[in-house]
Amino acid sequence: MKKLDKIDIKILNMLIEDARKPYMEIAEACGLSRAAIHQRIQRLIASGIIGGSCTNINYKVLGFSTYTYIGIVLERGSMYDSVVKELEKIPEVVECNYTTGHYSMLIKLYAKNNDHLMHILNGKIQGIDGVVSTETLISLKQSINRPYLLQESMLEK
C-alpha cells in the first residue's frame, strides 16, 4: 500500500464519523469524482486499513442499563485462548483484550441490571477453567465516546 495522503485521511475521517456517508458527499468534500472516491475506498479496504463498518447501538434504550468492565486474572497466561473461546459463548461480552499489569485480560459487557450481571459473573465467567479471579468495574456514566480521528501529522514524511 502506498502512503496515505491528505485526501485519504479526509476520507477515513468522514467514514469514521459516519460509515454510511454517501460517496457523492465524500467526493464533494474532497473535490474529487465519485468514481475516484470509490477507487480510493476500495484501495483502503484491500490494504486492510478499512476492515468493515458498524452501527452504534444505544444498549440502554434496549434495556441493558449496566455497562461493565471486568478484569480477569488467569491461572496461566497460556490459557488465554481457551478462556476467549468460552467468553465468545457469552453474548453479553462485547470486547476482550489481553492486557499487561494486574489482569491477564479485560472484558467489556452489557447486562440488563445488577442481577443479570451477577448471573453472568457467577454462573458463567467465574466457572471458566483457568479463571482465578475477577474484578468488576461498573460504568456509572460514559462521558466520552468518540472515534479516534486521524491527523495529517500522522502521515509519513
Side-chain angles (χ1 to χ4, degrees):
M1 156 110 197
K2 73 172 193 161
K3 294 179 185 176
L4 295 179
D5 62 20
K6 292 178 182 181
I7 293 174
D8 292 327
I9 297 285
K10 189 168 191 169
I11 292 168
L12 288 169
N13 283 335
M14 291 180 80
L15 291 173
I16 287 168
E17 290 174 342
D18 180 3
R20 297 184 306 171
K21 190 172 292 288
Y23 284 10
M24 196 63 203
E25 193 175 323
I26 297 170
E28 289 171 3
C30 294
L32 296 174
S33 69
R34 184 185 172 285
I37 294 299
H38 178 76
Q39 289 174 345
R40 281 180 175 258
I41 290 173
Q42 292 306 308
R43 181 176 48 83
L44 292 167
I45 291 169
S47 70
I49 292 172
I50 296 176
S53 60
C54 66
T55 302
N56 292 320
I57 304 295
N58 184 342
Y59 290 97
K60 286 190 178 200
V61 172
L62 295 173
F64 292 85
S65 61
T66 303
Y67 180 55
T68 309
Y69 296 94
I70 300 173
I72 299 174
V73 177
L74 298 178
E75 185 178 321
R76 293 183 315 279
S78 62
M79 300 180 88
Y80 178 79
D81 290 335
S82 64
V83 172
V84 168
K85 285 180 182 168
E86 294 303 311
L87 290 170
E88 286 175 336
K89 297 175 185 176
I90 304 169
E92 294 87 352
V93 175
V94 296
E95 190 175 309
C96 177
N97 299 278
Y98 195 24
T99 60
T100 61
H102 180 71
Y103 305 114
S104 307
M105 53 198 331
L106 184 68
I107 64 172
K108 181 168 54 173
L109 66 83
Y110 291 99
K112 292 181 180 180
N113 51 43
N114 289 347
D115 288 337
H116 184 207
L117 173 60
M118 189 171 67
H119 171 74
I120 296 166
L121 274 169
N122 295 340
K124 297 180 181 181
I125 295 171
Q126 292 172 345
I128 296 172
D129 187 42
V131 172
V132 173
S133 65
T134 61
E135 183 175 356
T136 304
L137 305 164
I138 295 175
S139 173
L140 300 174
K141 179 180 179 182
Q142 184 180 53
S143 300
I144 298 174
N145 180 16
R146 63 178 173 212
Y148 178 56
L149 297 178
L150 304 171
Q151 306 296 313
E152 289 180 20
S153 61
M154 298 171 151
L155 296 173
E156 293 182 25
K157 305 269 183 208

